[in-house]
Amino acid sequence: MNSSERENIKAAYKATFTKKIEEVSGNCLADASLLKQYQALAEMVMESITSQWAKTNTLYNKNESKQVYFFSIEFLIGRLMKSYLSNLGVEELVQECSAEMGLDYEAILAQESDPGLGNGGLGRLMACYLDSSSAMGMPAHGNGIRYKYGLFEQRIINGEQIEVADNWLKNGYPFEIRNPDKSVIIKYYGQIHSENINGNLTFVHENYEAIMAVPYDIPIKGYRNETVNSLRLWSAEPLEAFDLPSFNQGHFLNAVRHKSEAEAISQILYPNDNGFDGKLLRLKQEYFFVCAGIKRIIVDFKRSNNNSMDGFSDKICIHINDTHPALCGPELMRVLMDEEGLGWEESWKITVAAMSFTNHTVLPEALEKWPVDMMKDLLPRIYMIIEEINRRFLLDLDNEFPHDLDRNHSLSIIRDNYVHMASLAIVSSHSINGVATLHSKILREETFNGFYQVFPKRFYSVTNGVSPRRFLMNSNPELKTLINDSIGPDWDHNLFDLKKLLNYINDPVFYQKFDAVKLSNKVRLANYMARYNNVTVDPNSIFDIQVKRIHEYKRQLLNALHVLYLYNRLKENPNLEMAPRTFIFAGKAAPGYYYAKEVIKLITAIAELVNNDPSLHDKLKVVFLANFNVSLAEIIYPAANISEQISTAGKEASGTGNMKFMMNGAITLGTMDGANIEILDAVGPSNIVSFGLSADEVHHYQKYGGYRSIDIFEQDPRIQQVLHQLIDGTLGYGLSFQAIYDSLLLYNDGYFVLKDFNAYADAQNQVDHLFRNPTIWTKMSISNVANSGIFSSDRSIADYQREIWKII
Ligand code: 26W
């Protein structure tokens, strides 16, 4: 495009935008609020996407290519405007025009609410996979729930977490289209009768309670290509809003009761990450989006397939993201048999061929199991089908391993009066995979070993990945520009090309530019902390960052105890030689997770102690940033020097924050857990700092005993001092962290915090030494960016295509 063409386009953009402002606000541009400016821009974006969207759908409706559907109870998509603009290739243009019109581009973008429709890793992974599928021109769609309230907003008041409802829809949401014509009726409760109709045994569902699932579709626009896939989120509504007879009889509350009961199903996201609580409403949610999603897939498939189900599993992949959508198996069976009239054998073949399952956690407390009575009551036909799936599976088992009662019992989908959802997912899928090499190994050898012996060929591994567009190009534009200027722009289509940066690994000029980018990102975060936390930090200090959900296994406690230890060292020796450090934490605790909330309190108490002690001469600062979400994450990762990935080995399935940090040049300080192991493989041992027990060692202690935390306590005066400080008033008058203290000593430190303390302190010391040699540090940092290509979610999607969905 030459410059006069560009000027024409800019003039057209400005005119359209000005007109749009009038349309959405009834005001002229000069009087339009930021919110209206954002809404006008959003409408323009939707207008430029929808025709491509329609074209993509027409193509898909021809039924030529295989379609993947991600069923997930969470999609943590984050703000979309920047992605849309950049994927359309118009971001610079919009930025320039905004500036010329005197508008604040960043402030306009900040008007968008951040849809928190997920808790953490699992939900964010789905968003990255949708982003990558579209970028790669692959037909893949999301199917989930349109929660009216997403994950709570976290405020920190007096050092404690306070939860506030997340009303993300309060100003409307411009990127969704409501499609009531595609609604699906969902049936709960009631009884099942079998009838003989024309010689066929037919199941009839009676006296059920029906509600309506209404889809809202969000376009997922590919990066600079023609593909626009869909994220379909279902909202629950009553069949009829108002019960007129009740109203007329004066029963006003009754008249609307049904409405609020129906709406309750998509009202709120359960705020638990890695912890199962078997609430009826959650089971309703799970069936809700499964039933609605499967129905639409079948309707669309048949319409483009001469009204026949032939070839269904050659054209449709139903991918279940952890066990929350595991009812896809029995639901597909139900539709195939009861509605499409197929027999069991044929339906089962289709179901297993269509379904694949990814597991995301090995924590036993997260594995879903539903009480038989609850399932039977709420979903009578589904329960019948699960019983039959199980009966046939146990028969097969008995043929293969005769009289092996223990095995039969431990693999039974229904056992001890519960329906075990992982077992259901495994039996009804053709593939099961973990999310990192170590995690997949643990699934095969421990968690699902029994199933592995029965179905060895069903087990795969696909290491997670993250979107390089969201977590590098869009959130770290200065680094993007530096990379473009150095190796050219083509790495945007193949992140492995970042390896070309290794050509600069000894180039002092490049070092300077690279360091300047990091510093600029740190200044941005420092400004944020000054504004929201009222803490002044030195942007030249080491930004040592741990951001993720607060959980015992993630061991924020290990980090916090070490900060306290460092504080003690500095108090003892104010001249201690060390690079100044800023320890930054962020993350939400599940509202009912007392212990995790105590950890937040502990961190904020340590921050209070450390930040207000002038004798430390600003060598140490501690900040807890409230309300960690995708938008905040985008500011944090680019500013990090150290990425804390310190879970008890064997517990973190993969981790994806670790990859986002690495892509932005942070050095991983980590245990040999999850994808940290693969980060080590990618960067080499000299570009990572690792420490601590291995997963095998942890496993050994857990199985055979032999670890006594009290022994470590007794032998190590540093640990004694730090643990006493938890309860002796050091951390604030009247503040005592007795529960944490007890977990470490009385209950033998289940997550090996004290066991790993020494190794962690040594590793932190090593970090200090490395950082004080800027040449070595910058080299390490560049190596991390250069070798992060393998952690692009484009690579993960390519792996799924090849191994799991067998596309191309
Ligand atoms: C039923 C309660 C519940 C809710 C969410 C149980 C389990 C979950 C998820 C499976 C937990 C989760 O988010 N797991 C994370 O998944 C990421 C993506 O694969 C991994 O990177 C993280 O290591 C894993 O903790």
Side-chain angles (χ1 to χ4, degrees):
M1 186 187 334
N2 66 35
S3 70
S4 81
E5 279 167 354
R6 197 174 157 79
E7 282 314 309
N8 285 343
I9 291 182
K10 280 170 66 177
Y13 170 83
K14 289 176 189 170
T16 317
F17 182 75
T18 310
K19 183 88 193 91
K20 263 278 168 254
I21 288 281
E22 292 170 5
E23 280 173 30
V24 300
S25 70
N27 276 311
C28 63
L29 181 54
D31 296 326
S33 64
L34 279 172
L35 180 65
K36 291 295 175 184
Q37 295 173 30
Y38 155 71
Q39 284 169 348
L41 183 57
E43 285 209 6
M44 286 173 71
V45 163
M46 282 301 267
E47 279 164 19
S48 20
I49 290 178
T50 41
S51 56
Q52 271 184 16
W53 199 7
K55 267 190 214 148
T56 307
N57 282 329
T58 307
L59 186 73
Y60 291 170
N61 286 339
K62 291 201 182 116
N63 209 9
E64 279 157 7
S65 41
K66 206 164 181 175
Q67 309 279 318
V68 175
Y69 292 89
F70 292 109
F71 278 69
S72 176
I73 202 152
E74 303 187 353
F75 286 90
L76 188 45
I77 52 181
R79 288 182 177 144
L80 296 183
M81 181 80 91
K82 214 190 190 82
S83 303
Y84 284 136
L85 294 174
S86 135
N87 290 353
L88 285 162
V90 299
E91 199 195 2
E92 268 175 34
L93 180 110
V94 173
Q95 248 167 330
E96 249 176 73
C97 290
S98 304
E100 290 170 16
M101 295 166 89
L103 305 175
D104 184 342
Y105 174 74
E106 291 295 333
I108 296 174
L109 263 49
Q111 294 299 306
E112 181 175 354
S113 56
D114 182 338
L117 308 187
N119 275 282
L122 164 115
R124 183 54 234 175
L125 187 77
M126 279 299 101
C128 285
Y129 283 3
L130 289 179
D131 178 274
S132 281
S133 303
S134 292
M136 297 164 76
M138 188 192 84
H141 314 278
N143 186 78
I145 298 177
R146 181 179 179 269
Y147 300 104
K148 186 164 179 208
Y149 297 96
L151 187 61
F152 63 87
E153 180 196 329
Q154 179 195 54
R155 303 218 177 126
I156 301 294
I157 298 176
N158 295 329
E160 289 183 41
Q161 167 174 301
I162 304 294
E163 298 98 19
V164 179
D166 163 51
N167 190 5
W168 69 286
L169 288 166
K170 64 174 180 293
N171 296 325
Y173 187 63
F175 301 126
E176 65 183 7
I177 293 185
R178 177 183 160 93
N179 283 313
D181 49 315
K182 293 181 178 156
S183 297
V184 174
I185 290 175
I186 316 289
K187 299 173 182 175
Y188 297 111
Y189 301 109
Q191 296 87 35
I192 306 297
H193 288 298
S194 55
E195 276 174 29
N196 199 320
I197 302 179
N198 304 334
N200 289 325
L201 192 61
T202 314
F203 293 89
V204 184
H205 196 170
E206 290 174 338
N207 301 323
Y208 51 79
E209 290 179 16
I211 62 135
M212 185 105 88
V214 182
Y216 288 71
D217 293 339
I218 298 173
I220 308 294
K221 161 93 187 77
Y223 178 72
R224 301 190 185 172
N225 64 17
E226 305 278 288
T227 300
V228 185
N229 290 324
S230 303
L231 168 57
R232 174 162 284 173
L233 300 177
W234 297 92
S235 180
E237 294 183 11
L239 284 187
E240 277 169 62
F242 211 69
D243 177 1
L244 209 53
S246 280
F247 186 80
N248 289 338
Q249 287 163 28
H251 305 307
F252 301 126
L253 279 180
N254 269 352
V256 291
R257 209 194 59 211
H258 177 63
K259 179 172 185 318
S260 46
E261 275 175 9
E263 285 170 354
I265 292 173
S266 58
Q267 194 81 354
I268 186 149
L269 165 76
Y270 274 89
N272 294 339
D273 179 81
N274 272 305
F276 172 66
D277 67 324
K279 296 277 190 304
L280 175 65
L281 184 59
R282 172 72 164 212
L283 184 58
K284 283 187 182 171
Q285 291 183 334
E286 294 187 357
Y287 185 64
F288 171 72
F289 80 101
V290 161
C291 175
I294 295 274
K295 181 77 190 178
R296 281 315 310 177
I297 291 173
I298 291 185
V299 168
D300 289 346
F301 178 80
K302 281 177 67 183
R303 204 186 41 216
S304 56
N305 199 49
N306 294 324
N307 209 26
S308 139
M309 287 299 288
D310 290 352
F312 182 78
S313 52
D314 300 330
K315 287 286 150 66
I316 304 287
C317 297
I318 294 174
H319 195 84
I320 56 178
N321 193 38
D322 218 87
T323 58
H324 322 114
L327 294 175
C328 277
E331 174 63 12
L332 184 54
M333 288 297 286
R334 185 188 72 74
V335 178
L336 292 175
M337 295 187 304
D338 298 359
E339 295 178 9
E340 299 300 323
L342 304 186
W344 182 279
E345 312 282 344
E346 194 183 356
S347 303
W348 185 240
K349 238 188 178 154
I350 294 173
T351 299
V352 175
M355 292 215 351
S356 46
F357 162 49
T358 299
N359 167 282
H360 296 265
T361 182
V362 295
L363 296 192
E365 64 269 30
L367 297 181
E368 286 194 295
K369 49 178 193 172
W370 292 102
V372 161
D373 288 342
M374 193 191 278
M375 181 88 86
K376 215 188 221 167
D377 193 36
L378 183 69
L379 306 168
R381 179 64 181 139
I382 291 297
Y383 183 73
M384 284 172 77
I385 294 172
I386 294 174
E387 268 189 324
E388 183 61 12
I389 291 174
N390 195 39
R391 191 185 68 81
R392 290 175 183 243
F393 171 61
L394 293 181
L395 270 180
D396 288 349
L397 262 190
D398 201 52
N399 281 335
E400 203 175 335
F401 308 96
H403 314 302
D404 192 342
L405 292 183
D406 283 347
R407 182 192 301 263
N408 274 14
H409 179 75
S410 69
L411 298 188
S412 182
I413 298 168
I414 302 166
R415 85 189 104 95
D416 306 327
N417 268 318
Y418 286 96
V419 178
H420 293 256
M421 300 295 267
S423 311
L424 176 63
I426 294 172
V427 172
S428 33
S429 302
H430 66 271
S431 90
I432 296 100
N433 75 285
V435 290
T437 307
L438 173 67
H439 172 231
S440 302
K441 176 170 180 269
I442 293 173
L443 292 185
R444 290 190 306 266
E445 294 177 0
E446 303 292 329
T447 321
F448 299 147
N449 179 257
F451 286 106
Y452 179 59
Q453 290 180 31
V454 182
F455 303 123
K457 294 214 174 92
R458 287 191 189 184
F459 282 74
Y460 296 84
S461 182
V462 178
T463 298
N464 283 167
V466 302
S467 163
R469 289 158 292 278
R470 180 171 293 266
F471 290 107
L472 202 175
M473 300 169 200
N474 294 346
S475 58
N476 198 343
E478 291 183 51
L479 184 56
K480 176 181 100 175
T481 305
L482 174 61
I483 298 173
N484 282 345
D485 292 348
S486 312
I487 63 172
D490 290 345
W491 59 280
D492 66 348
H493 281 93
N494 179 5
L495 211 67
F496 284 102
D497 277 358
L498 286 177
K499 281 223 191 288
K500 292 182 186 158
L501 287 174
L502 294 174
N503 294 334
Y504 297 85
I505 200 78
N506 292 313
D507 178 346
V509 180
F510 184 78
Y511 277 32
Q512 260 182 12
K513 294 182 187 160
F514 188 86
D515 288 345
V517 169
K518 181 59 82 181
L519 184 63
S520 157
N521 289 320
K522 288 169 77 176
V523 168
R524 176 168 66 161
L525 182 59
N527 290 339
Y528 183 95
M529 296 191 286
R531 177 158 173 208
Y532 292 102
N533 285 62
N534 205 14
V535 181
T536 312
V537 309
D538 174 4
N540 289 302
S541 63
I542 304 179
F543 277 22
D544 180 326
I545 309 188
Q546 187 172 21
V547 290
K548 48 182 81 251
R549 286 301 286 257
I550 312 291
H551 207 293
E552 282 162 288
Y553 85 83
K554 296 181 188 278
R555 298 200 297 191
Q556 282 90 355
L557 180 60
L558 176 58
N559 188 346
L561 294 181
H562 174 260
V563 175
L564 207 47
Y565 160 65
L566 212 51
Y567 168 80
N568 293 337
R569 279 179 73 196
L570 274 170
K571 291 300 276 184
E572 226 168 75
N573 175 12
N575 296 322
L576 182 74
E577 264 200 58
M578 64 172 262
R581 267 255 206 166
T582 304
F583 288 95
I584 298 164
F585 296 84
K588 294 176 185 177
Y593 191 172
Y594 171 76
Y595 190 90
K597 290 182 145 179
E598 283 293 291
V599 168
I600 294 180
K601 253 163 82 180
L602 174 64
I603 295 168
T604 56
I606 295 175
E608 199 63 24
L609 175 77
V610 166
N611 298 346
N612 297 313
D613 190 331
S615 75
L616 302 180
H617 302 297
D618 287 341
K619 278 191 176 158
L620 199 55
K621 286 280 161 79
V622 179
V623 181
F624 188 97
L625 291 169
N627 202 35
F628 184 56
N629 60 10
V630 177
S631 301
L632 182 52
E634 289 166 9
I635 305 174
I636 290 178
Y637 296 123
N641 297 120
I642 282 290
S643 154
E644 297 263 1
Q645 308 299 336
I646 59 179
S647 52
T648 310
K651 306 284 179 212
E652 188 70 270
S654 161
T656 44
N658 47 5
M659 302 169 184
K660 297 162 195 165
F661 277 113
M662 179 195 186
M663 250 175 220
N664 286 281
I667 279 95
T668 304
L669 168 55
T671 47
M672 286 296 93
D673 198 14
N676 299 350
I677 298 172
E678 288 155 79
I679 291 181
L680 170 89
D681 291 343
V683 291
S686 54
N687 297 311
I688 183 171
V689 180
S690 58
F691 73 96
L693 292 176
S694 67
D696 279 342
E697 287 166 330
V698 169
H699 183 240
H700 195 270
Y701 281 127
Q702 281 184 331
K703 201 158 175 186
Y704 304 105
Y707 169 51
R708 278 167 37 98
S709 61
I710 194 83
D711 294 345
I712 297 199
F713 177 78
E714 278 168 357
Q715 287 154 20
D716 192 334
R718 302 172 308 175
I719 290 183
Q720 286 166 21
Q721 184 183 9
V722 167
L723 292 202
H724 279 140
Q725 287 169 325
L726 294 181
I727 52 175
D728 69 1
T730 305
L731 293 168
Y733 181 72
L735 259 187
S736 171
F737 295 93
Q738 190 71 44
I740 293 178
Y741 183 91
D742 287 346
S743 80
L744 293 173
L745 293 180
L746 203 56
Y747 301 110
N748 202 31
D749 183 18
Y751 293 90
F752 301 89
V753 171
L754 300 188
K755 182 77 184 164
D756 271 344
F757 184 85
N758 194 24
Y760 180 62
D762 286 350
Q764 282 287 22
N765 221 5
Q766 199 188 332
V767 165
D768 178 68
H769 282 110
L770 290 167
F771 190 81
R772 282 192 280 147
N773 185 329
T775 314
I776 292 190
W777 188 266
T778 306
K779 191 174 194 164
M780 290 174 76
S781 186
I782 297 169
S783 303
N784 271 275
V785 179
N787 291 302
S788 65
I790 191 169
F791 300 113
S792 164
S793 41
D794 299 355
R795 189 272 310 147
S796 309
I797 288 294
D799 288 356
Y800 276 101
Q801 284 184 311
R802 202 179 53 249
E803 307 274 332
I804 312 251
W805 308 317
K806 317 277 185 208
I807 304 177
I808 41 181

